[in-house]
Structure formats: structure tokens, C-alpha cells
Amino acid sequence: MFEFQTIEKPIENILLKEKGSKFIGFAYPVNSESDIKDSLNELKSIHPKATHHCYAFRLGINGENYRANDDGEPSGSAGLPIYNQLLAHQITNILVVVIRYYGGTKLGVGGLVKAYKESAKYTLDQANIITKELESKIELKFKFSQQNLIFTLLNKYDAKIISFEAEDICTIKASFKTSKKESISDELSEMLLEFNFS
């Protein structure tokens, strides 16, 4: 299984109103915890006066790295309903944030669960869900005279060149579909080349 589903592009400012409170939904495709931190920090700078920034994320092909955060709302009333929408949509490598501006009327735990769930669902309903293939990165070291051989091999596997340093010993960094990792690895080993995956 080298594929996962995520959203094609960010979805922002999806508004839901509930008894005076405003819930604003955001969804971002992410690849790492630092992507998540960047998005959260950016939202905090855009909405510094919001009462709560509740969120959930899933990372990894099976969503094995995940978190749900209530940001001061009663435990389990915000982050979990958002997280459950990520599961319901079967998506990963995603961050969903629901920002709340308190409107003066308490909603109670049941009301909060409903509002955060609906806000996350409504936000994700605006997204285009796509299937992506997992990618791996490789770093190769080889003699300058071998470069044609290497480029031919990388082309064969549709690898994307990230960087190339041409010296006596060349270094190339490339990314390719993880499903092809074993085949690439076998061919490179036969060529007795120095390489490592990241």
C-alpha cells in the first residue's frame, strides 16, 4: 500500500455560526510536524483575538502520527470531533483547524461537539480529495563518467532530481515513488554504487 488520500489544496475561512459564536474552519495538506506548526502559527497571527484554536491532524500513510487538541475547550469537545472527521473522510497528511470566536452564549459540551464536528465536516466538504503516491528520497554518489548511466536509471523510474553536484565524485538527490524503491535499490546495488534513502 503506497498510496494515501489527502486534500489537493488548502481550504480556508469556512464559516459556521452557532448561537452567536463563530466557528471558522481551515484545512491544510501537510507533510510534517513543522508544516503543522507553521500553519498553526500563521493562523494565530491572523486571528489573535479568537477564543480557541482547536485542531486535529493525521500524518503517515495510515495516519499513525495524529493529535487532537481542544485548546481550552472542555476535554474531548473540540479536537476529537474534528479528528473523527479526518477518519470519516479517510484522509491523512492533513491538518484541520477550527477557530472559535465566543459569542456570549454557552453551548454546553454536546453543543460544542456538534459545532466542531459540523465545522470540520463542512470545511472538508469544500475540499477536493486526491490520491497521492508515497515518495522516497535518495542520495547517490558516483563517478562523473557514470552520470549518463545514472540519469538513464532515474528517468526509467520517473525520479525527480532535487539537486545535482557535478564533481569528480558526483552527488545527486532525487525523489521517486516509494513503490519503486526495491527495484531501484536492486539495480543500484548491481552497479556497486553508494546510495542511501531518506
Side-chain angles (χ1 to χ4, degrees), residues 44-101:
K44 282 192 172 132
S45 70
I46 298 168
H47 293 274
K49 294 196 167 82
T51 329
H52 303 279
H53 289 250
C54 305
Y55 65 89
F57 69 76
R58 290 183 83 203
L59 282 174
I61 196 155
N62 301 309
E64 55 276 4
N65 182 357
Y66 62 89
R67 187 169 307 139
N69 186 315
D70 296 316
D71 192 32
E73 291 282 32
S75 181
S77 69
L80 207 54
I82 298 170
Y83 176 68
N84 285 335
Q85 286 305 305
L86 305 183
L87 296 179
H89 285 77
Q90 298 179 316
I91 47 181
T92 186
N93 284 25
I94 177 147
L95 165 70
V96 172
V97 185
V98 178
I99 290 175
R100 180 186 182 195
Y101 283 91

Side-chain angles (χ1 to χ4, degrees), residues 104-172:
T105 306
K106 291 204 165 173
L107 301 178
V109 171
L112 288 172
V113 168
K114 185 170 172 286
Y116 281 105
K117 174 192 167 191
E118 283 182 1
S119 181
K121 181 182 186 310
Y122 189 42
T123 302
L124 289 170
D125 285 348
Q126 314 300 311
N128 183 19
I129 292 175
I130 54 166
T131 300
K132 283 184 97 170
E133 282 202 50
L134 265 193
E135 292 205 335
S136 293
K137 290 192 172 75
I138 188 168
E139 183 175 283
L140 284 162
K141 290 190 185 305
F142 53 91
K143 294 191 188 86
F144 190 76
S145 59
Q146 294 174 297
Q147 69 176 355
N148 285 348
L149 206 62
I150 299 298
F151 280 109
T152 305
L153 174 76
L154 291 174
N155 260 341
K156 176 176 158 187
Y157 290 107
D158 298 322
K160 292 185 206 75
I161 309 296
I162 299 166
S163 67
F164 176 50
E165 290 165 31
E167 313 266 322
D168 294 342
I169 297 292
C170 301
T171 304
I172 211 166

